Amino acid sequence: MGRWQPDSRGRLQEAALALYSERGFDQTTASQIAERAGLTERTFFRHFVDKREVLFGGSTVLQDHVVAAVAGADATDGPMQAVGRGLAAAADMLGAGRKDLIRQRHGVISANPELRERELVKLSDCGAAVAAALIKRGVRDLLAHLAADAAMTVLRSGIERWAYGDDDRSLAMVMDELLADMKALLLSASAIPVLASQSTDIEPESQHV
Amino acid sequence: MGRWQPDSRGRLQEAALALYSERGFDQTTASQIAERAGLTERTFFRHFVDKREVLFGGSTVLQDHVVAAVAGADATDGPMQAVGRGLAAAADMLGAGRKDLIRQRHGVISANPELRERELVKLSDCGAAVAAALIKRGVRDLLAHLAADAAMTVLRSGIERWAYGDDDRSLAMVMDELLADMKALLLSASAIPVLASQSTDIEPESQHV
């Protein structure tokens, strides 16, 4: 089997990530991306509404995959089993991607505050959607949000660790290990200490909202 | 003891939150805030660099408190004990604040996508700072980030639950309960299932970065 030839969308994505990495996101135009990919600007805009969508188009697809898996979990699955299925769906989708491209994407986003904000919003939206899917399954609100947040932590750290790791473990395996690490960490947690000043009756000097 | 009279800063904060809630953040000017507080615009700008700082000035102070407590934890404290001290410091600072103002702040931020992004960035920055403080204590990178993320989940949900709750429990108690809930949730987690498609050898149709 020869080297896999990416389709137009894949070629545009590769070219865009390479250019964003080389000269920065703000300094790259759609026309330059198309040129690098050996395609026309019109083709670029047939695949992506703008430069940002190259980076974030996949986030929506990922969220849909994760939420569908959570919603479709067995009726007997508890909240963490259901989010486990969501994480499996994410591993399934992302595991087919290329680590070098994921690393490039991560580097581009980290270097740009605006893109970093957008990434945080996307992750937060995904967490909210997972929580909503859990609530629909009958999980009470608070637990649904905690489970969804834990899942997002594992997903985000898992992708990063998997993409930058130099071993051949699957993304699902890496996330499994992170879940186990979180479990061990929380087991070691003790009660939150009450500070001396909490028991005093002194009026606050200035308000802290 | 009579009703506590807030200082100028507190009065400006109260006036700003009331106006942001009534007419929206974008529709409120610094001059209107000053007028409502019975102070001059000059006084407003002596306390806040801009309208946003009324909402986010406290976030930096909070982060500094949390990080200092994590860094100052006993040498024998594990990562979750250290973040527990950070959460205690947060409870100490915020517990002195007024729930009605915290609810107003939350409402204003939720209603405005730009403010919501900023809040996510602030929380992410705080998490990164906590992780850095843990790494300095000798916690390995990955565990430091997991512990910091868990702490931010507990902090964010805790503040919300505490501010909107109708009981008299302290913020530290609310966060304690959330930690226990997270622990129970993670204990119930099972291995992330491996989906059938992960074992196939088919080339991906399109790349997922």
Side-chain angles (χ1 to χ4, degrees):
Chain A
M1 199 158 64
R3 192 179 171 282
W4 175 57
Q5 291 298 321
D7 51 13
S8 302
R9 189 180 169 90
R11 272 160 63 195
L12 286 163
Q13 212 166 30
E14 258 185 50
L17 286 168
L19 287 169
Y20 297 166
S21 302
E22 285 164 29
R23 57 182 76 169
F25 176 78
D26 288 331
Q27 284 72 47
T28 304
T29 66
S31 139
Q32 290 165 342
I33 296 168
E35 198 193 327
R36 170 79 66 111
L39 296 163
T40 64
E41 197 173 338
R42 226 179 112 189
T43 306
F44 178 89
F45 287 113
R46 220 169 36 232
H47 286 285
F48 303 103
V49 288
D50 59 21
K51 279 194 307 172
R52 279 203 316 193
E53 213 207 322
V54 181
L55 297 169
F56 296 105
S59 307
T60 313
V61 184
L62 180 66
Q63 176 177 321
D64 292 346
H65 267 64
V66 172
V67 168
V70 171
D74 292 347
T76 54
D77 280 349
M80 285 309 289
Q81 275 81 42
V83 302
R85 290 190 190 274
L87 293 175
D92 197 44
M93 173 179 152
L94 292 166
R98 281 169 46 189
K99 284 190 187 181
D100 57 336
L101 296 184
I102 289 177
R103 280 195 297 264
Q104 268 185 326
R105 176 181 185 277
H106 185 262
V108 170
I109 288 173
S110 303
N112 185 312
E114 209 183 300
L115 297 175
R116 204 185 130 226
E117 281 190 21
R118 192 169 177 78
E119 177 80 336
L120 288 172
V121 170
K122 289 277 181 186
L123 196 75
S124 170
D125 286 348
C126 186
V130 167
L134 289 172
I135 290 166
K136 255 196 182 163
R137 291 173 55 84
V139 179
R140 69 185 167 87
D141 200 274
L142 179 76
L143 286 184
H145 282 99
L146 287 179
D149 277 2
M152 291 306 110
T153 294
V154 168
L155 181 61
R156 188 172 57 113
S157 301
I159 293 170
E160 217 174 296
R161 194 170 165 72
W162 168 74
Y164 286 93
D166 47 10
D167 51 33
D168 281 338
R169 291 184 310 156
S170 70
L171 177 52
M173 282 170 68
V174 171
M175 290 198 295
D176 240 1
E177 199 180 84
L178 288 177
L179 258 184
D181 282 339
M182 267 192 95
K183 198 188 287 192
L185 270 175
L186 281 161
L187 276 176
S188 73
S190 46
I192 294 171
V194 176
L195 301 186
S197 54
Q198 279 176 303
S199 54
T200 63
D201 210 26
I202 299 162
E203 293 290 357
E205 211 176 285
S206 73
Q207 293 174 295
H208 293 299
V209 175
Chain B
M1 197 159 62
R3 191 177 172 284
W4 174 57
Q5 292 298 322
D7 52 13
S8 303
R9 189 182 170 90
R11 273 160 63 195
L12 287 163
Q13 211 166 33
E14 259 187 48
L17 286 169
L19 288 169
Y20 297 167
S21 302
E22 285 163 30
R23 58 183 76 169
F25 176 79
D26 288 332
Q27 283 73 47
T28 305
T29 66
S31 139
Q32 290 165 343
I33 297 168
E35 199 192 328
R36 169 79 65 109
L39 295 163
T40 64
E41 197 174 339
R42 225 179 114 189
T43 306
F44 178 89
F45 286 114
R46 218 167 38 229
H47 287 285
F48 302 103
V49 287
D50 58 23
K51 281 195 303 172
R52 279 202 316 192
E53 214 208 321
V54 181
L55 298 168
F56 296 106
S59 307
T60 312
V61 184
L62 181 66
Q63 176 176 320
D64 291 346
H65 267 63
V66 172
V67 168
V70 171
D74 292 347
T76 53
D77 280 349
M80 285 309 288
Q81 274 81 42
V83 301
R85 290 189 189 274
L87 293 175
D92 197 44
M93 172 179 154
L94 292 166
R98 282 169 43 190
K99 283 190 188 183
D100 58 335
L101 296 184
I102 289 178
R103 279 196 297 264
Q104 269 185 324
R105 176 181 186 274
H106 186 262
V108 170
I109 288 173
S110 303
N112 185 312
E114 209 184 299
L115 297 175
R116 204 185 131 226
E117 280 190 21
R118 194 170 177 78
E119 177 80 334
L120 288 172
V121 170
K122 289 277 181 187
L123 196 74
S124 169
D125 285 348
C126 186
V130 167
L134 289 172
I135 290 166
K136 254 195 184 166
R137 289 173 56 83
V139 179
R140 69 185 166 87
D141 200 272
L142 179 75
L143 287 184
H145 282 99
L146 287 178
D149 278 1
M152 292 306 108
T153 294
V154 168
L155 180 61
R156 186 171 58 113
S157 301
I159 293 171
E160 216 176 307
R161 195 170 166 71
W162 168 74
Y164 287 93
D166 47 10
D167 52 32
D168 280 339
R169 291 182 311 155
S170 70
L171 177 52
M173 280 170 68
V174 172
M175 290 197 295
D176 241 0
E177 199 181 84
L178 288 176
L179 257 184
D181 282 340
M182 267 192 95
K183 200 189 283 193
L185 270 175
L186 281 162
L187 276 175
S188 74
S190 48
I192 294 171
V194 176
L195 302 184
S197 54
Q198 280 177 301
S199 54
T200 62
D201 210 25
I202 299 162
E203 293 290 358
E205 214 175 283
S206 73
Q207 294 174 296
H208 294 299
V209 175

